[in-house]
Amino acid sequence: MFRLTDFTYEGKTVFLRADLNSPVENGRITSDARFRAVLPTIRHLLEDGAKVVVATHQSRPYKGDYITTEEHAEILSRLLNQEVEYVEDIFGKNARERIGALKPGEVIMLENLRFSAEEVFYKPIEECEKTFFVRKLTPLIDYVVNDAFAAAHRSQPSLVGFARLKPMIMGELLEAEVDALSRAYESDDRPRVYILGGAKVDDSLRVAENVLRNGKADLILTGGLVGQIFTLAKGFDLGDANVGFLHRKGLLELVDWAERILDEFYPYVRTPVDFAVDYHEERLEVDLLGGDKRLFDEYPILDIGSRTVEKYREILDSAKIIVANGPMGVFEREGFAHGTVGVFRAIGESPAFSIVGGGHSIASVYRYNITGISHVSTGGGAMLSFFAGEELPVLKALEISYERFREGTDKPKTELSLLFHQ
Ligand code: 3PG
């Protein structure tokens, strides 16, 4: 695959596909983590004299955090200490004229890519090439740099559509992500501990199945809604309030699948021994064995309990590889961050090579100043897809582009691409 340093960019127009999809509260972005992560790539391009067109998606149509990229441009301007002009257009005349008028060292930010209908479907490269988005922008750009690791599991026009038309190059973030994730996945150092939390239960079950079946993990610790589904699969009752919630979320139907994983790998999947419920706005811990489990009937579980955190900490202390995705509870609520922060801190303190990811949950790593984690991944779903052993369309597109354009560049195939598993 092409690396950023394989080309020079003086006077060239570069389409930089980033993933700046960020958490939003009351219409405002609450974390700049993904912005900071792409700064090295943008700086490299600017120092080299490129004309940079940054593009990202933000959420999906009709969701509460589906906003324009105006604030994205503001945040990037502040972090880069130079103006990043917000262009309220994607591939229309206004955008094309602005791209055509760019000067070396200038940066613009296109409108939220998912404002265009073409960008909300998942289509193969050949279909993406036919979109107006790709057809209108291709004549204006020299190179495509993809630094959107967090969207690498999506096959959409801005992510894969240019691969056969222009050299598509890995950004520094994407390269670092793939490097770190491959290192964890391929490592034979033991024990290798995976921590699966958050609300993406089906994705997490796919990861559990893949890493256990292929001998990539020695132990799985669970929390968040993933932990609750596995707890039910072990035969514990989590009460009307919680079972009702999981039912409304469509997650109860996953209990059978979790049971099948336990049938095969029971000793290797650990579940919480206690949970914290929201008892009239107070944190109240309930032990699964000795506690008053009637509380589960009325009060929602919002975190794992302290005893679980301690048990997980002991395991993490002696781990050699740790991969963690998703929070242990509703860490955004005061009183219920204990599980997530406790486990993430234990990861940071462990001598293991460690990766923590999970979209918005990495915000907690920064909010609570947790240090010592080897790699904080910007990927949520993309990271889970990677560890589920699935092919990531963006990585595939980078390979295709490399094969198409390597002629003349005289570059050997990078070692990195050899690490990708199928
Ligand atoms: C993410 O946050 O996981 C990525 O930005 C991808 O977003 P999506 O799940 O809406 O495609």
Side-chain angles (χ1 to χ4, degrees), residues 100-243:
L102 269 171
K103 296 194 179 60
E106 279 186 353
V107 194
I108 56 172
M109 165 84 65
L110 298 183
E111 184 53 282
N112 183 349
L113 293 169
R114 287 185 183 167
F115 282 15
S116 156
E118 293 171 341
E119 190 69 15
V120 289
F121 293 99
Y122 305 131
K123 295 283 179 190
I125 289 183
E126 309 79 61
E127 293 297 313
C128 290
E129 272 172 9
K130 294 181 197 154
T131 58
F132 282 99
F133 169 80
V134 170
R135 281 157 52 194
K136 297 260 184 190
L137 291 190
T138 300
L140 298 171
I141 57 187
D142 297 297
Y143 297 114
V144 173
V145 172
N146 194 310
D147 222 7
F149 174 74
H153 56 319
R154 305 294 186 211
S155 191
Q156 291 169 322
S158 69
L159 290 158
V160 302
F162 297 111
R164 301 195 300 182
L165 307 171
K166 297 283 168 186
M168 181 171 157
I169 303 157
M170 289 185 286
E172 287 186 26
L173 169 66
L174 189 137
E175 183 172 347
E177 293 268 18
V178 175
D179 217 357
L181 271 55
S182 302
R183 178 174 163 191
Y185 189 77
E186 299 298 340
S187 176
D188 288 326
D189 291 348
R190 283 154 200 260
R192 297 156 302 175
V193 181
Y194 280 62
I195 309 172
L196 300 174
K200 289 182 173 155
V201 181
D202 51 350
D203 292 335
S204 299
L205 294 182
R206 283 209 304 280
V207 172
E209 215 162 48
N210 179 57
V211 293
L212 289 169
R213 201 160 279 158
N214 290 302
K216 301 289 185 191
D218 303 299
L219 200 58
I220 294 194
L221 313 178
T222 63
L225 297 185
V226 182
Q228 292 186 36
I229 292 297
F230 270 113
T231 304
L232 292 176
K234 282 190 174 178
F236 290 98
D237 185 11
L238 292 177
D240 293 347
N242 295 291
V243 173

Side-chain angles (χ1 to χ4, degrees), residues 19 21 34 57 59-60 114 122 150-151 153-154 156 200 359-360 380-381:
D19 186 342
N21 181 27
R34 284 189 175 173
H57 70 277
S59 189
R60 294 160 186 224
R114 287 185 183 167
Y122 305 131
H153 56 319
R154 305 294 186 211
Q156 291 169 322
K200 289 182 173 155
H360 299 175

